[in-house]
Amino acid sequence: RTRRHPGGHCPVDRATTMPRRHAHHHAEPDDDDAAPWTDEFAGESDEDVVLISTDRHGEFIKLRAFGADARGRKRARKHYEKAEAKGLGVVKTKGGRVRAHSGSAKVVTFLIGVAFGLGECDLGPLEAHGPLQIFKEDHEPDEEDDDDDDDDDNHREAWLIMKVQKDKGGISVEEIDHKKKAKRKFDKLEHRKRTGVLVHGGRVNEVSGDMKDDVKARQLVFIIGCAAGEGLVKHGG
């Protein structure tokens, strides 16, 4: 069964635990500054400004909604600038779109992957022409299923092959009930030098791709981030 990723609008429990003890935290109240500021979202729709960021140790991911009013937008900007000054990875979204980001290319890619899996944002700079782009048009057809698996190789929990595919909403997730079949298909993926992840039981079992290629390495980072956001990966691989 091939399940098309819904392009950042998947139904995900927002309380899902992330790998490496990642957790969600909502913004805490803080004092407004009286200093003048430029409201970058003035006049836009009434949708929350959301920040997704790492902590200073890189052990947690924090997802914080700041509201849609002027005070919330100001607080979001203040927290974004603090994270930026500390050199932390941070992505700002509003209305399901990536509006700003700061940090290394791999960290930003991972954060967008998590937010995309949670349904918080689109692909943003990952699909736009520029230094963070990892998506290109991909019209490679799906492989035909093999039907020669033995019943005793069946598992209660499906094996998942996740691949970056622009023409399928950013990522495709293929669910396979048999371990041997999943391994065969993933071996073919590796043989074709395609970037992908084999997931089972909430863990990353295998990865495929040229890690010496920066774009392919970040494609892998995005897949794992998206899998974490969607709750498909819950443990370290």
Side-chain angles (χ1 to χ4, degrees), residues 28-69:
E28 70 284 356
D30 57 3
D31 296 330
D32 277 333
D33 269 323
W37 67 293
T38 302
D39 188 353
E40 61 194 302
F41 300 125
E44 293 195 16
S45 59
D46 293 334
E47 294 171 299
D48 288 353
V49 179
V50 176
L51 296 186
I52 181 166
S53 62
T54 60
D55 72 347
R56 62 179 179 174
H57 302 296
E59 295 182 345
F60 291 91
I61 288 177
K62 298 184 288 187
L63 182 71
R64 298 176 289 181
F66 289 85
D69 59 9

Side-chain angles (χ1 to χ4, degrees), residues 42-117:
E44 293 195 16
S45 59
D46 293 334
E47 294 171 299
D48 288 353
V49 179
V50 176
L51 296 186
I52 181 166
S53 62
T54 60
D55 72 347
R56 62 179 179 174
H57 302 296
E59 295 182 345
F60 291 91
I61 288 177
K62 298 184 288 187
L63 182 71
R64 298 176 289 181
F66 289 85
D69 59 9
R71 182 173 182 271
R73 297 194 298 269
K74 185 174 182 180
R75 289 171 57 230
R77 178 169 182 154
K78 180 179 177 181
H79 280 259
Y80 180 90
E81 290 174 348
K82 281 185 177 180
E84 188 176 33
K86 293 177 181 178
L88 305 179
V90 59
V91 173
K92 183 190 296 184
T93 74
K94 181 176 173 62
R97 294 169 52 208
V98 175
R99 307 300 291 270
H101 55 82
S102 179
S104 71
K106 285 186 178 179
V107 172
V108 169
T109 300
F110 180 77
L111 291 176
I112 293 176
V114 173
F116 184 79

Side-chain angles (χ1 to χ4, degrees), residues 34-219:
W37 67 293
T38 302
D39 188 353
E40 61 194 302
F41 300 125
E44 293 195 16
S45 59
D46 293 334
E47 294 171 299
D48 288 353
V49 179
V50 176
L51 296 186
I52 181 166
S53 62
T54 60
D55 72 347
R56 62 179 179 174
H57 302 296
E59 295 182 345
F60 291 91
I61 288 177
K62 298 184 288 187
L63 182 71
R64 298 176 289 181
F66 289 85
D69 59 9
R71 182 173 182 271
R73 297 194 298 269
K74 185 174 182 180
R75 289 171 57 230
R77 178 169 182 154
K78 180 179 177 181
H79 280 259
Y80 180 90
E81 290 174 348
K82 281 185 177 180
E84 188 176 33
K86 293 177 181 178
L88 305 179
V90 59
V91 173
K92 183 190 296 184
T93 74
K94 181 176 173 62
R97 294 169 52 208
V98 175
R99 307 300 291 270
H101 55 82
S102 179
S104 71
K106 285 186 178 179
V107 172
V108 169
T109 300
F110 180 77
L111 291 176
I112 293 176
V114 173
F116 184 79
L118 283 166
E120 279 295 337
C121 72
D122 57 7
L123 299 174
L126 302 186
E127 66 175 344
H129 182 70
L132 288 183
Q133 183 183 24
I134 61 171
F135 289 95
K136 300 183 184 298
E137 293 301 328
D138 187 346
H139 300 291
E140 183 169 323
D142 290 333
E143 297 179 15
E144 293 185 4
D145 289 339
D146 301 319
D147 296 319
D148 58 348
D149 293 283
D150 297 328
D151 290 340
D152 60 0
D153 192 32
N154 199 4
H155 287 257
R156 290 183 179 180
E157 188 169 358
W159 292 75
L160 306 176
I161 295 179
M162 304 183 70
K163 299 180 289 186
V164 167
Q165 290 191 262
K166 173 70 181 299
D167 59 345
K168 294 179 180 175
I171 198 166
S172 71
V173 182
E174 184 175 3
E175 299 179 1
I176 302 173
D177 292 329
H178 301 272
K179 178 180 178 180
K180 290 181 181 178
K181 182 177 177 180
K183 291 282 191 179
R184 283 202 304 270
K185 297 199 78 167
F186 196 77
D187 286 346
K188 291 179 182 178
L189 191 75
E190 287 184 303
H191 182 72
R192 300 200 313 272
K193 301 186 184 302
R194 294 289 305 276
T195 304
V197 176
L198 180 64
V199 175
H200 181 67
R203 294 181 181 275
V204 174
N205 284 73
E206 295 184 43
V207 299
S208 172
D210 183 1
M211 296 303 101
K212 295 180 180 179
D213 183 310
D214 177 68
V215 171
K216 291 186 181 298
R218 288 193 301 109
Q219 285 180 342

Side-chain angles (χ1 to χ4, degrees), residues 13-31:
D13 181 359
R14 300 182 64 82
T16 298
T17 303
M18 296 293 188
R20 295 180 61 200
R21 300 184 293 120
H22 293 166
H24 299 137
H25 298 276
H26 292 284
E28 70 284 356
D30 57 3
D31 296 330

